[in-house]
């Protein structure tokens, strides 16, 4: 295996591991790694990032189903709303300058990271979800509104920035439903997969092509990383995981701002 191949697989491994560990970090790392690590053009990087994160998240969601960690009702409502808005985000993204798009992405990551850092420490023994307070699967109108709004926002950002949307899905699930960080991560993987399907289809309808074998190697690395991240996740404390997620956002946001604003 040559150096270039190892680099592609290693980048995919990092994306998968962070996605398995945090439920959203993969989408944060995928675009910068493709752009700056593998020198993939912006348009291609957005589409390939979305495909890789989506497939890897789907693989991770299957792994979590065995442990009953996925909140299906909340996840499906969130995902359906996101699938409707992801194509709109894809269309908007193709009409914006690359530097503006990436800088906005970085600022959004910094903001969400700050919210995550200040957020409550969610543990596995947290009280039942506020959105199922009336009984299993019994949602009130307010929950439909909040989950639908959060899903629509995640879908729009997913299509716009070429990410799975996990960096907004996890915080919204935490703040809206009250589920623990580990259950939010597991549910996020299901949502990311479904929203990404919609976004990838929109990219393909716009004529997006996925370079081979780079795409297969990157996705393969992502699958291996998901297994690694899922294994490590069970050994990480909930508060630590939440703040690790936030710190990763800040570091990558700073890097992207420096590259786009100070190093044209």
């Amino acid at each position: 295996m040559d150096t270039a191949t190892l680099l592609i697989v290693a980048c995919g491994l990092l994306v998968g591991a962070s996605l398995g560990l945090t439920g959203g970090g993969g989408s944060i790392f995928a675009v910068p790694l493709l752009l700056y690590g593998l020198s993939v053009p912006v348009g291609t990087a957005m589409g390939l990032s979305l495909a890789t994160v989506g497939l890897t998240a789907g693989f991770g969601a299957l792994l979590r189903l065995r442990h009953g960690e996925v909140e299906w009702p909340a996840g499906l409502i969130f995902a359906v709303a996101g699938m409707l808005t992801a194509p709109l985000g894809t269309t908007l993204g193709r009409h914006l300058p690359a530097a503006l798009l990436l800088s906005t992405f970085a600022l959004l990551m910094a903001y969400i990271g700050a919210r995550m850092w200040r957020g409550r420490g969610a543990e596995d023994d947290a009280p039942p979800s506020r959105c199922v307070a009336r009984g299993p699967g019994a949602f009130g109108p307010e929950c439909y509104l909040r989950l639908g709004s959060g899903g629509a926002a995640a879908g729009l950002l997913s299509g716009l920035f070429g990410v799975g949307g996990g960096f907004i899905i996890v915080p919204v699930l935490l703040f809206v439903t009250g589920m623990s960080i580990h259950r939010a991560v597991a549910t996020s993987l299901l949502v990311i997969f479904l929203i990404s399907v919609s976004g990838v289809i929109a990219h393909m309808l716009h004529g997006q092509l996925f370079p081979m074998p780079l795409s297969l190697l990157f996705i393969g690395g992502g699958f291996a990383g998901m297994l690694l991240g899922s294994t490590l996740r069970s050994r990480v404390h909930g508060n630590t995981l939440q703040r690790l997620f936030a710190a990763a956002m800040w570091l990558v946001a700073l890097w992207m701002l420096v590259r786009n604003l100070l190093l044209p």
Side-chain angles (χ1 to χ4, degrees):
M1 187 178 293
D2 59 29
T3 304
T5 299
L6 284 174
L7 179 60
I8 295 170
V9 174
C11 289
L13 184 72
L14 179 58
V15 170
S18 59
L19 184 59
L21 189 61
T22 68
S27 59
I28 291 174
F29 288 112
V31 172
L33 283 172
L34 287 168
L35 285 173
Y36 308 123
L38 302 177
S39 301
V40 176
V42 174
T44 303
M46 295 291 184
L48 180 54
S49 167
L50 193 57
T52 301
V53 170
L55 289 173
T56 305
F59 176 58
L62 289 176
L63 296 177
R64 304 293 173 85
L65 285 177
R66 296 181 304 169
H67 304 290
E69 295 181 343
V70 177
E71 296 269 3
W72 279 94
L76 288 177
I77 293 171
F78 204 103
V80 168
M83 292 175 73
L84 294 176
T85 56
L88 175 60
T90 299
T91 301
L92 290 175
R94 290 181 173 274
H95 291 86
L96 294 175
L100 175 61
L101 197 61
L102 295 175
S103 296
T104 304
F105 180 26
L107 292 173
L108 179 62
M109 282 196 297
Y111 171 74
I112 296 296
R115 291 293 303 271
M116 284 291 289
W117 188 272
R118 296 196 307 267
R120 66 177 183 85
E123 299 300 325
D124 284 334
D125 58 355
S129 165
R130 290 191 295 273
C131 278
V132 293
R134 303 183 194 178
F139 288 88
E142 185 178 359
C143 285
Y144 280 109
L145 178 61
R146 290 184 176 183
L147 288 169
S149 299
L156 184 67
L157 295 174
S158 175
L160 185 62
F161 297 122
V163 298
F167 64 91
I168 189 172
I169 295 170
V170 172
V172 170
L173 288 175
L174 286 173
F175 298 131
V176 170
T177 70
M179 68 178 69
S180 72
I181 181 65
H182 290 299
R183 295 188 73 81
V185 167
T187 305
S188 171
L189 294 176
L190 170 67
V191 176
I192 290 170
F193 169 70
L194 294 174
I195 290 179
S196 295
V197 168
S198 177
V200 169
I201 291 174
H203 274 281
M204 294 177 68
L205 291 176
H206 282 283
Q208 174 69 64
L209 299 177
F210 297 98
M212 302 293 178
L214 184 148
S215 298
L216 293 178
L217 291 171
F218 196 74
I219 292 171
F223 274 47
M226 174 59 70
L227 291 173
L228 175 62
S230 295
T231 301
L232 294 175
R233 181 193 60 86
S234 62
R235 304 177 184 178
V236 180
H237 191 272
N239 284 331
T240 301
L241 182 59
Q242 192 163 325
R243 293 199 167 189
L244 179 65
F245 190 12
M249 286 186 179
W250 290 335
L251 288 173
V252 179
L254 178 61
W255 168 251
M256 293 184 72
L257 285 173
V258 169
R259 285 297 302 260
N260 283 284
L261 300 179
L262 303 180
L263 300 173

